[in-house]
Amino acid sequence: MHLRLSLLRINLNSSLFFLNFFPPRIRPLILPTVISSEFPVTLSKFLNFYSSLRLPLDHSDYTPYSGFDPDSFFSSLLDYSVHKRHLNQIHAQLVVSGLVESGFLVTKFVNASWNLEEIGYARKLFDEFPEPSVFLWNAIIRGYSKHNLFGDAMEMYSRMQASGVSPDGFTLPCVLKACSGVPVLEVGQRVHGQIFRLGFESDVFVQNGLVALYAKCGRIEQARIVFEGLDDRNIISWTSIISGYAQNGQPMEALRIFWQMRQSNVKPDWIALVSVLRSYTDVEDLEQGKSIHGCVVKMGLEYEPDLLISLTSMYAKCGQVMVARSFFDQTKIPNVMMWNAMISGYAKNGYANEAVGLFQEMIFKNVRTDSITVRLTILACAQVGSLELAEWMGDYINKTEYRNDVFVNTALIDMFAKCGTVDLAREVFDRTLDKDVVVWSAMIVGYGLHGRGRQAIDIFHAMKQAGVFPNDVTFVGLLTACNHSGLVEEGWKFFHSMKYYGIKARHQHYACVVDLLGRSGHLHEAYDFIMNMPIEPGVSVWGALLGACKIYRHVTLGEYAAEQLFSLDPYNTGHYVQLSNLYASCRLWDRVSKVRILMREKGLSKDLGYSLIEINGKLQAFRVGDKSHPRFREISEELESLERRLKDAGFIPHLESVLHDLNQEEKEETLCNHSERLAIAYGLISTAPGTTLRITKNLRACINCHSATKLISKLENREIVVRDANRFHHFKNGVCSCGDYW
């Protein structure tokens, strides 16, 4: 039962008293105007303060009675305060009683203000107190640090030192936390020096703060030195160093230290388990992660919010998206980190539509998103490949505070480029104010994806004029752009210019050069280039050479490249298919059969080709010879009509694109029923004349379909945009943007 107290507001012209609660000899406090308020003090606790009081209070003009302790009395009232008006009333009592200069009570008052998040009130009390003690300084610094107002905490610490008050073991951990939160390593290092001078090098709480400081500032080795110097490590010590390694991209070391902690018989807390789960997530060790999950359940921590987020993230990243979703669904009110973990899991495991759907659910439920949420959803939109969806996402961003976020804009540039409209990507690029190397590189890569080599080179020169230093990704984009545009000489020069920027070529750069040389017909030069590489050629390099050999039907060199690929990556279906296609293009059907037998022996099967077309915001899928579509009859009639018009226009089928030993009529029929041809026919009967058709194909476009699509674009007066496994093709007026170089 709570006691309803009549708490009083100061009015010096009135003199109402708590006469029923004060013994006769206790001088009551002057509290004039009554305000009724529910104050959370139980009757028994309240009466305990007064039942033994015998002597009147004397502070200033009062003569004390030994039985009354004002510090305990007001301290208890502050402990039970739940509203600012309670603080106002107690403050009034202190002023009237002359106790407002009591350092103990003011310190207690400041702490109570922080607990009620009355930050301004706490600061006002502090500023009005003359010559604060170390305890009062600690209260104000600890409050700022606790509420993540790290700049204010550091400012107060500076003022504390200027006033001549020496910090103690309670001051320093709060200051170190503030330095970690900003983070300001230089200030933290100065505090570290003070710790030695003041003799706190053996204080475990202070040293734990140093471990966390160096870890959060990226100086994990210094954090380790401090940790190793601790004689008496507690759970916070272990958790700080484990978290430090996990957050600094060294998950294996974090797990090794966790094992040491367990060997030391230290029981982990939920914070340590969060870092361990993160580490197992980073190394994608689901089995060990499951063992930690079991530990979480045994410790009764399965409903701890941060652990739920970590479990969701782990299962999602390791491909167990349904399990991850079960954790997400059992959270009553998921915070933004939980939403992000689930959206990330969907986006990175081939569930792009589900990721976008979850983001739209967030918006519908008015859940506040952050920059990470938005970037993950943009990634998912890029994977879906729908231009309509991409435009919706772009419009959403334009209405939010993320419109000028450089990270978001970089993701938008990539999304628009991958959804087939490099011009919208350029609009985002042009509006971005503070362009860093990542923004410039994204635009260069976008142009490269669409075969606009010259524009990519122009952007690179503008980047240099802007004083932005290129990185390795910049040159991947440049080399790709040159490769897709047939700019052999320019690409060669860019590759050799990398050393002037101090950039060491990676496998991806070498693969681009091999592809550049190979696709232009310089197969022997490409082979010599590989033989003279300073690093061991990888799968991407030999794969580029094999692809070029298929184009120019160089069987001997292609077989050599295939042997290297089978050695490096024996279970990759694509390598066997490439070699089989090489043999088929040369009509070496017996060798084709041998490759297929080899694939069956290894349990490998060829990926089926399919094409997607976007109609009214919806994607329709087609496979080779697909007859399952509800409108198949209309599609078939449109295909026949197209074939007649193509032949009338002089189109000759490229029969070598058929990779099976068939007669001519069968070959022509097979070519006519390739998935992209079906998608085009469906697009023509489903859209108004002049509408752009947008098609995504999971494999590289064949020569026959490429030639046919060029002519169809002219006959139908349509732009047809096709994204194959390598790049974009923009067909218009009988011409492709790739210049027949792909």
Side-chain angles (χ1 to χ4, degrees):
M1 176 179 177
H2 286 78
L3 174 67
R4 179 173 294 274
L5 300 180
S6 294
L7 298 178
L8 309 174
R9 180 181 297 154
I10 296 178
N11 184 337
L12 297 179
N13 296 322
S14 181
S15 58
L16 298 176
F17 303 97
F18 282 140
L19 296 177
N20 292 333
F21 296 108
F22 288 88
R25 299 181 63 192
I26 302 294
R27 183 187 296 235
L29 305 176
I30 302 173
L31 301 168
T33 305
V34 179
I35 303 175
S36 181
S37 174
E38 184 73 22
F39 198 75
V41 183
T42 64
L43 180 60
S44 60
K45 287 184 178 179
F46 184 84
L47 294 178
N48 282 340
F49 277 100
Y50 296 97
S51 60
S52 61
L53 299 182
R54 296 184 299 276
L55 301 176
L57 169 67
D58 184 349
H59 195 283
S60 302
D61 58 332
Y62 296 122
T63 302
Y65 284 84
S66 61
F68 182 72
D69 183 356
D71 287 350
S72 297
F73 170 57
F74 286 109
S75 178
S76 181
L77 289 179
L78 286 167
D79 286 339
Y80 286 100
S81 298
V82 295
H83 196 277
K84 184 180 179 181
R85 64 175 176 269
H86 298 153
L87 298 180
N88 288 331
Q89 292 160 352
I90 298 170
H91 191 194
Q93 309 279 353
L94 295 179
V95 171
V96 171
S97 305
L99 294 170
V100 76
E101 295 181 2
S102 167
F104 171 80
L105 287 177
V106 171
T107 300
K108 191 76 177 179
F109 211 116
V110 168
N111 287 328
S113 300
W114 283 121
N115 292 337
L116 297 180
E117 297 189 357
E118 294 292 342
I119 299 171
Y121 208 138
R123 181 61 182 267
K124 182 176 182 294
L125 284 168
F126 177 86
D127 289 339
E128 291 176 352
F129 194 86
E131 299 183 7
S133 67
V134 66
F135 305 107
L136 186 52
W137 282 107
N138 287 350
I140 197 71
I141 292 171
R142 180 171 56 252
Y144 278 130
S145 183
K146 180 181 178 181
H147 287 78
N148 297 331
L149 299 170
F150 301 124
D152 294 299
M154 293 167 64
E155 177 196 350
M156 296 308 290
Y157 181 62
S158 178
R159 284 180 53 186
M160 174 184 179
Q161 294 178 92
S163 68
V165 177
S166 181
D168 62 14
F170 296 97
T171 319
L172 296 168
C174 299
V175 176
L176 289 170
K177 179 184 176 182
C179 294
S180 304
V182 175
V184 184
L185 179 62
E186 184 180 349
V187 176
Q189 288 173 325
R190 290 203 295 267
V191 175
H192 191 175
Q194 289 179 315
I195 288 169
F196 274 99
R197 290 194 297 273
L198 295 170
F200 289 103
E201 61 269 20
S202 298
D203 188 310
V204 67
F205 298 102
V206 174
Q207 296 301 306
N208 288 343
L210 283 172
V211 173
L213 165 72
Y214 286 122
K216 290 182 179 179
C217 291
R219 301 296 182 88
I220 191 64
E221 296 308 319
Q222 288 177 268
R224 184 62 175 270
I225 291 171
V226 177
F227 174 79
E228 295 293 348
L230 285 171
D231 294 325
D232 184 21
R233 299 168 186 161
N234 59 18
I235 181 59
I236 298 175
S237 312
W238 289 100
T239 299
S240 297
I241 194 66
I242 291 170
S243 300
Y245 275 112
Q247 293 164 4
N248 282 276
Q250 297 187 43
M252 293 305 297
E253 190 62 21
L255 295 172
R256 194 179 72 81
I257 295 177
F258 177 70
W259 181 83
Q260 288 182 0
M261 183 183 83
R262 300 298 288 144
Q263 293 294 108
S264 302
N265 293 320
V266 178
K267 183 179 179 181
D269 60 6
W270 68 267
I271 300 174
L273 293 176
V274 165
S275 295
V276 173
L277 283 170
R278 173 177 178 170
S279 298
Y280 280 126
T281 301
D282 289 343
V283 299
E284 297 188 28
D285 189 339
L286 182 58
E287 290 307 310
Q288 289 299 321
K290 286 180 177 179
S291 69
I292 299 300
H293 183 188
C295 181
V296 169
V297 174
K298 289 178 182 178
M299 295 173 66
L301 298 172
E302 61 267 35
Y303 297 111
E304 176 63 42
D306 285 355
L307 280 171
L308 276 174
I309 294 170
S310 298
L311 288 168
T312 303
S313 179
M314 180 187 74
Y315 282 107
K317 186 174 181 180
C318 293
Q320 302 288 321
V321 289
M322 294 301 103
V323 178
R325 185 59 190 256
S326 70
F327 286 111
F328 179 84
D329 290 338
Q330 69 181 264
T331 307
K332 292 183 179 179
I333 305 178
N335 61 19
V336 69
M337 289 187 291
M338 179 68 93
W339 287 94
N340 289 350
M342 198 63 242
I343 292 174
S344 175
Y346 278 138
K348 295 176 180 178
N349 284 284
Y351 296 88
N353 285 305
E354 287 80 357
V356 175
L358 201 58
F359 176 75
Q360 292 171 335
E361 184 181 335
M362 280 187 80
I363 297 173
F364 177 76
K365 292 183 176 179
N366 292 319
V367 179
R368 182 174 176 80
T369 62
D370 61 13
S371 177
I372 297 173
T373 321
V374 171
R375 280 181 277 157
L376 287 169
T377 308
I378 293 172
L379 170 65
C381 290
Q383 292 173 358
V384 173
S386 166
L387 179 58
E388 185 173 325
L389 181 61
E391 290 176 332
W392 172 84
M393 192 67 200
D395 290 340
Y396 169 81
I397 298 298
N398 283 333
K399 298 173 185 176
T400 68
E401 68 269 28
Y402 306 115
R403 187 179 190 277
N404 296 317
D405 186 309
V406 67
F407 301 105
V408 171
N409 282 343
T410 303
L412 282 175
I413 292 169
D414 178 71
M415 177 191 72
F416 281 126
K418 288 179 177 176
C419 289
T421 172
V422 74
D423 294 329
L424 286 179
R426 182 59 188 263
E427 287 181 16
V428 177
F429 174 81
D430 289 338
R431 81 168 188 231
T432 305
L433 301 177
D434 299 318
K435 299 181 181 70
D436 60 10
V437 65
V438 183
V439 176
W440 289 96
S441 298
M443 194 66 245
I444 291 171
V445 170
Y447 276 132
L449 192 60
H450 288 262
R452 299 190 185 184
R454 294 295 178 189
Q455 288 165 294
I457 293 172
D458 290 342
I459 286 286
F460 177 70
H461 292 316
M463 173 183 171
K464 290 196 298 181
Q465 290 177 354
V468 178
F469 205 76
N471 62 14
D472 59 332
V473 178
T474 312
F475 281 97
V476 169
L478 276 173
L479 292 171
T480 301
C482 292
N483 183 18
H484 288 170
S485 306
L487 302 175
V488 180
E489 185 177 343
E490 291 85 346
W492 187 253
K493 288 180 180 177
F494 280 126
F495 175 77
H496 287 286
S497 71
M498 289 173 61
K499 59 187 176 184
Y500 299 117
Y501 296 96
I503 299 171
K504 189 176 181 180
R506 297 184 285 108
H507 278 101
Q508 200 170 358
H509 300 101
Y510 287 110
C512 284
V513 174
V514 172
D515 204 31
L516 177 71
L517 294 172
R519 289 187 185 278
S520 61
H522 299 92
L523 294 177
H524 293 290
E525 288 84 349
Y527 175 76
D528 291 338
F529 178 79
I530 294 173
M531 292 297 102
N532 291 302
M533 282 174 55
I535 60 176
E536 195 68 27
V539 171
S540 59
V541 173
W542 290 115
L545 182 61
L546 178 57
C549 290
K550 192 269 177 185
I551 295 172
Y552 293 98
R553 303 177 192 170
H554 198 306
V555 175
T556 305
L557 192 55
E559 287 178 330
Y560 180 77
E563 288 176 9
Q564 309 306 312
L565 288 167
F566 297 160
S567 174
L568 293 170
D569 193 12
Y571 292 98
N572 188 319
T573 305
H575 308 324
Y576 297 90
V577 173
Q578 277 277 60
L579 180 60
S580 177
N581 292 348
L582 169 60
Y583 288 147
S585 66
C586 298
R587 301 187 180 184
L588 299 172
W589 303 114
D590 58 331
R591 299 192 190 185
V592 170
S593 298
K594 289 180 180 178
V595 173
R596 289 175 180 169
I597 291 171
L598 182 60
M599 290 177 65
R600 280 198 297 270
E601 290 175 350
K602 291 183 176 290
L604 304 176
S605 59
K606 179 182 177 180
D607 294 332
L608 293 176
Y610 66 84
S611 294
L612 302 172
I613 183 168
E614 182 182 1
I615 303 294
N616 298 324
K618 295 183 179 180
L619 295 174
Q620 298 279 341
F622 295 90
R623 295 188 182 277
V624 177
D626 193 350
K627 298 181 180 180
S628 62
H629 198 278
R631 299 183 67 185
F632 174 72
R633 182 182 296 276
E634 296 172 78
I635 294 171
S636 181
E637 291 173 356
E638 182 66 24
L639 278 174
E640 291 175 5
S641 173
L642 280 175
E643 284 303 305
R644 287 195 299 271
R645 295 172 64 193
L646 285 170
K647 287 183 179 180
D648 291 343
F651 177 73
I652 300 174
H654 190 271
L655 300 181
E656 292 176 357
S657 294
V658 178
L659 303 176
H660 301 276
D661 190 9
L662 305 172
N663 62 43
Q664 181 165 334
E665 185 178 343
E666 289 173 324
K667 287 183 178 181
E668 289 187 14
E669 184 179 354
T670 299
L671 291 171
C672 179
N673 285 281
H674 276 191
S675 63
E676 55 263 59
R677 297 283 285 278
L678 293 171
I680 291 172
Y682 175 72
L684 291 174
I685 65 174
S686 303
T687 58
T691 304
T692 298
L693 302 183
R694 300 183 181 277
I695 297 167
T696 301
K697 182 175 174 60
N698 69 324
L699 303 176
R700 182 177 178 270
C702 74
I703 295 174
N704 184 75
C705 288
H706 188 271
S707 300
T709 306
K710 285 195 298 181
L711 190 50
I712 292 171
S713 71
K714 183 176 182 180
L715 294 174
E716 294 290 337
N717 192 27
R718 301 256 196 155
E719 181 179 2
I720 303 174
V721 180
V722 178
R723 178 185 180 180
D724 69 11
N726 294 329
R727 56 167 297 158
F728 276 92
H729 300 264
H730 295 259
F731 300 93
K732 192 173 184 179
N733 296 323
V735 178
C736 180
S737 60
C738 72
D740 297 335
Y741 188 90
W742 88 103

